Amino acid sequence: LSSARNLLRRHRMLAATMLAVSALAGRVTPYARHTALGSVAAVLRVGRRVSPLHCSAPVADSSTAEAQPAEGPEVKKRVLSGVQPTGVLHLGNYLGAINQWVANQEIHDNYFCIVDSHAITQPHDPKELTLATYRTAALYLASGIDPKQSRIFVQSHVTAHSELMWMLNCATPMGWLERMIQYKEKSAKTTNSEGVSVGLFDYPVLMAADILLYQAQLVPVGEDQRQHLELTRDIARRFNDKYCQKKARKVFTEPEALIVKSNARVMSLQDGTSKMSKSDENDTSRINLLDTPDEIRRKIKRCKTDSVKGVGYHPDRPEANNLLAIYEAMTGRTKEEVAAEAAEWIGWGTFKPLLADAIVAHLEPVQKRYHELAAEPEYLAQVLREGAGAADEVASRTLGEAKRAMGFTMPGDIPKF
């Protein structure tokens, strides 16, 4: 009994110490929180076993109980995702990415970045890139990303991304990149070959570096990014097989796809078969998150519909399906509920004002919070600085392991001959 009480006391001190040290560091890290909670769980189990009715039991039984897996919360799977800071984020970015992150941020260990290095693979305005980077970060926060639960950072602020990209370039066959569909599609839009950069061809490797640096187990992807995620898995497997054959642990984790909701893929307001895009020259093709209520109503009023009588879902009605899916997301209603409501509408003249009002109402708190954040640049800078610091800690560790595996020397190494 005396030994068990001492064990209880040691576990309580361990849990309290870990939480206190993390608090002094500015936040309770996921590792410290899970470890401390696991220790508390172990304490409670031991406490339940050591009762006056069982005081004659061998102390080894208590030790055996402690050795069992902790009954505290499971370690969260890590998620990595990001959005390019080109233009203003639109409804497609919001529903297809950010809103999904917000919904799942409590159950995952999250790293969300503003991928500015990807944004320069095509011609850009330097001043606009600077503004768009901060604007995107502010919209992350305004949409509900909590910096206490998720690390928010700018990709280029963690230099390991570019460094690992070069290392992976040297381990990736060129033929793999030549098969990438998005490169073919984007380069086909440019008639001048000098307008297609090496970066546009190579950016899937940078995307692989982004993911692999953080040992991400899950990556939120849509259909258009599945090929790039498979490439990332291939690169990780090739690197591990080539450089980690005799090592007990592989350098990289092979990520899996985190499937997004069915109504998360938002299509153009002018073409229900094309994805809503920031690069579309026609601004009426999208709802930007910072559009005014009047702009939103004007775009919805002018959006493309069809000549079929009534409003409803049908495989051959892409524009109707898209607008109804947006209405689902904006109102929080199910597809069945929206279908039942649509049966009572006279036509598009009834539905479009309802859709516009729903979008305006949904985006109102996001826009309000965005303007509050824009008035607090010091706070935004602090969030990005702390996020980059936390990201750099993980990324640098992975980069170091990759360098060791490839045979690089490290600063401070003692030469061996």
Side-chain angles (χ1 to χ4, degrees), residues 114-134:
I114 297 92
V115 287
D116 55 341
S117 295
H118 286 286
I120 65 171
T121 57
Q122 297 191 75
H124 71 285
D125 181 338
K127 291 183 178 179
E128 173 59 24
L129 176 61
T130 301
L131 174 61
T133 298
Y134 291 129

Side-chain angles (χ1 to χ4, degrees), residues 288-298 360 367:
N288 300 310
L289 295 189
L290 297 180
D291 280 346
T292 66
D294 287 344
E295 288 174 328
I296 292 172
R297 291 189 172 92
R298 176 176 57 82
V360 169
Q367 294 179 353

Side-chain angles (χ1 to χ4, degrees), residues 17-93:
T17 300
M18 293 191 71
L19 290 173
V21 169
S22 297
L24 287 173
R27 64 184 178 89
V28 179
T29 64
Y31 174 81
R33 180 166 58 252
H34 291 310
T35 306
L37 289 173
S39 298
V40 172
V43 169
L44 294 175
R45 283 200 309 279
V46 174
R48 287 195 296 270
R49 300 240 178 151
V50 183
S51 66
L53 294 176
H54 297 84
C55 62
S56 60
V59 174
D61 288 349
S62 296
S63 300
T64 302
E66 182 197 356
Q68 298 300 315
E71 295 177 359
E74 295 181 3
V75 175
K76 298 178 179 180
K77 288 188 175 183
R78 182 167 294 163
V79 169
L80 184 285
S81 195
V83 173
Q84 289 191 34
T86 51
V88 180
L89 298 186
H90 54 65
L91 207 56
N93 301 131

Side-chain angles (χ1 to χ4, degrees), residues 225-236:
Q225 291 292 335
R226 281 181 177 274
Q227 189 184 35
H228 290 162
L229 182 61
E230 286 304 316
L231 176 67
T232 298
R233 290 171 56 84
D234 290 340
I235 291 174

Side-chain angles (χ1 to χ4, degrees), residues 113-119 153-162 206-207 210 214:
C113 56
I114 297 92
V115 287
D116 55 341
S117 295
H118 286 286
F153 63 100
V154 178
Q155 179 189 28
S156 65
H157 293 184
V158 180
T159 58
H161 288 256
S162 299
L206 176 57
M207 179 178 171
D210 297 337
Y214 299 94

